[in-house]
Amino acid sequence: MIKKIESDKVVINRPAPHIFDFLGDFNNFEKLVPDQVTDWGSSRDTCTFHVKGAEISMKITERKPFTEITVVSDGKTPVDFTMVEMLNELSENQTEVQLILQADLNPFYNMILLNPLTNLVNIMVDKLKILAENEGL
């Protein structure tokens, strides 16, 4: 059963190209994930990490400049998913960002993972906003 999980839409006071460049490189992603993530490894296009004993692997499959980045599960990840990072340029220095996760969750995983995955995408956009506005991506 495909479950669609959407983060809150967050307005970030930074230009879309800056946010796009940051999100388009997995070497930056470790700054966005919660503390429970361990054993982080990344390149520009791929990353692997552990969370609660499970190994997760992801890869970027598409970059549409300044509007969208598509990430898919890769390898032996326990749940197949696609995450789309949506960017909407509101003005020269303001960008709205939302993460949309579509995961193939059986009823058991749905019950266990729905809330943590929802929290995850919201934590990631919140951390992105803080990093972008306070540390200037």
Side-chain angles (χ1 to χ4, degrees):
M1 173 182 190
I2 302 294
K3 194 71 173 176
K4 185 176 182 180
I5 301 164
E6 298 182 14
S7 74
D8 296 332
K9 291 180 179 178
V10 175
V11 176
I12 300 174
N13 294 315
R14 295 290 293 159
H18 292 225
I19 295 169
F20 180 85
D21 289 345
F22 182 87
L23 290 175
D25 185 343
F26 271 131
N27 291 314
N28 298 320
F29 253 65
E30 188 175 15
K31 299 172 186 173
L32 302 180
V33 296
D35 295 337
Q36 296 89 337
V37 169
T38 60
D39 302 323
W40 182 269
S42 61
S43 69
R44 182 174 190 269
D45 295 325
T46 63
C47 73
T48 60
F49 56 92
H50 287 90
V51 62
K52 294 191 178 186
E55 182 173 311
I56 309 294
S57 297
M58 304 186 302
K59 66 180 176 181
I60 295 175
T61 58
E62 185 174 19
R63 292 177 179 88
K64 294 180 183 175
F66 316 131
T67 61
E68 189 176 308
I69 299 167
T70 303
V71 175
V72 299
S73 56
D74 192 31
K76 297 179 181 178
T77 301
V79 174
D80 289 331
F81 64 87
T82 299
M83 181 173 63
V84 180
E85 304 162 1
M86 303 294 298
L87 284 74
N88 179 23
E89 187 173 52
L90 302 175
S91 69
E92 186 177 318
N93 287 309
Q94 261 194 343
T95 307
E96 181 183 73
V97 178
Q98 183 179 35
L99 303 181
I100 301 170
L101 183 69
Q102 293 186 344
D104 188 4
L105 301 176
N106 65 37
F108 177 73
Y109 277 140
N110 186 54
M111 193 170 58
I112 292 174
L113 295 177
L114 185 60
N115 285 337
L117 289 173
T118 302
N119 289 338
L120 174 65
V121 294
N122 283 318
I123 287 168
M124 291 174 70
V125 294
D126 290 344
K127 283 188 169 189
L128 178 64
K129 179 176 175 66
I130 292 166
L131 277 170
E133 292 183 354
N134 295 339
E135 297 181 23
L137 301 178

